[in-house]
Amino acid sequence: MNSHELLQLAAKACDDKRAEELVALDMRELSLIADYFLICHGTNERQVDAISKGIKEAVEEQGIEVKKIEGKDEARWVLVDLDDVVVHIFHKEERSYYNLEKLWGDADQVALTV
């Protein structure tokens, strides 16, 4: 599975858990960290946790290893590292504070098929 297909798989998993305002950024020309960032938010800690679990389950069903999950205990900003794709799942209040879309404003947005 290439990184774009992995991005779409993660986006579908987010959408299945009712994540809000999904935004995908193409990071290939801007960062060595990942090819894509996927940013979304949930309205409460339980939803943020459910979104991260949904991503983990979806990728593992495809035989893909989750490299790391950070921030799960607080569920305010959970980072799911899929190697070529990094998913940022925010609590709604945290998302506006950190505003990654503005921070990485030079990145092109990628169309999602969810």
Side-chain angles (χ1 to χ4, degrees):
M1 178 175 294
N2 67 41
S3 60
H4 189 263
E5 292 168 334
L6 182 56
L7 170 68
Q8 298 297 339
L9 177 64
K12 169 102 173 61
C14 290
D15 188 60
D16 287 349
K17 297 296 180 183
R18 309 246 190 274
E20 297 183 21
E21 296 182 35
L22 277 75
V23 174
L25 302 177
D26 186 340
M27 303 301 293
R28 292 176 291 184
E29 300 296 321
L30 301 173
S31 174
L32 299 174
I33 296 170
D35 289 349
Y36 299 101
F37 280 179
L38 178 60
I39 305 165
C40 66
H41 71 263
T43 56
N44 58 54
E45 288 86 354
R46 280 183 293 150
Q47 185 183 18
V48 170
D49 186 53
I51 294 166
S52 68
K53 285 179 182 174
I55 294 167
K56 184 177 187 298
E57 291 169 3
V59 300
E60 287 178 347
E61 284 176 8
Q62 298 298 315
I64 298 165
E65 178 186 351
V66 175
K67 302 296 181 200
K68 188 134 181 136
I69 298 177
E70 294 282 344
K72 201 161 172 41
D73 292 337
E74 296 83 22
R76 302 293 291 178
W77 177 2
V78 177
L79 186 140
V80 181
D81 184 354
L82 304 174
D83 200 24
D84 292 334
V85 176
V86 175
V87 185
H88 300 270
I89 311 160
F90 287 98
H91 187 285
K92 187 175 185 176
E93 296 164 4
E94 305 295 317
R95 184 173 184 173
S96 60
Y97 178 79
Y98 289 103
N99 200 356
L100 290 187
E101 295 95 323
K102 184 177 180 183
L103 178 67
W104 293 102
D106 292 342
D108 292 331
Q109 288 197 15
V110 179
L112 297 170
T113 58
V114 292

